[in-house]
């Protein structure tokens, strides 16, 4: 017999794709980077996190307050000109 918790988990997995619900270390790293950049400035954040300013600006632009906005996007092309 399934417990209430197991039923809830099973229901959640059916509702949304599991891939979109995972929080990766990279996403948490990007969030920490953005928070630090907002407090101390982009240049200081780039020095501390050993990255470049363009990387920080790119993720700041994409960040909407949710961790899901810091997930990697697909690299698949939208179309192919010869097909």
């Amino acid at each position: 017999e399934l417990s209430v918790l197991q039923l809830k988990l099973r229901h959640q997995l059916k509702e949304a794709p599991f891939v979109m619900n995972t929080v990766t270390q990279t996403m948490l790293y990007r969030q920490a980077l953005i928070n630090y950049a907002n407090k101390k400035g982009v240049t200081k954040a780039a020095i501390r996190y050993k990255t470049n300013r363009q990387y920080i600006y790119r993720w700041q632009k994409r960040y909407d307050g949710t961790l899901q906005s810091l997930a990697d996007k697909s690299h698949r092309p939208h179309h192919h000109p010869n097909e």
Side-chain angles (χ1 to χ4, degrees), residues 3 5 31 33 40 57 74-75 77:
S3 70
L5 180 62
Q31 186 180 42
L33 175 65
K40 303 284 185 175
Y57 286 124
S74 174
H75 294 274

Side-chain angles (χ1 to χ4, degrees), residues 15-51:
E15 280 186 1
F18 187 73
V19 176
M20 292 304 290
N21 290 333
T22 59
V23 176
T24 64
Q25 290 291 331
T26 309
M27 291 159 62
L28 293 172
Y29 165 81
R30 290 172 182 156
Q31 186 180 42
L33 175 65
I34 290 168
N35 289 336
Y36 189 85
N38 290 339
K39 290 177 188 171
K40 303 284 185 175
V42 173
T43 302
K44 286 186 179 182
I47 293 168
R48 178 174 177 162
Y49 285 87
K50 296 181 176 70
T51 185

Side-chain angles (χ1 to χ4, degrees), residues 2-12:
L2 295 174
S3 70
V4 176
L5 180 62
Q6 288 173 327
L7 289 172
K8 284 182 181 178
L9 286 173
R10 183 177 283 182
H11 182 69
Q12 287 174 352

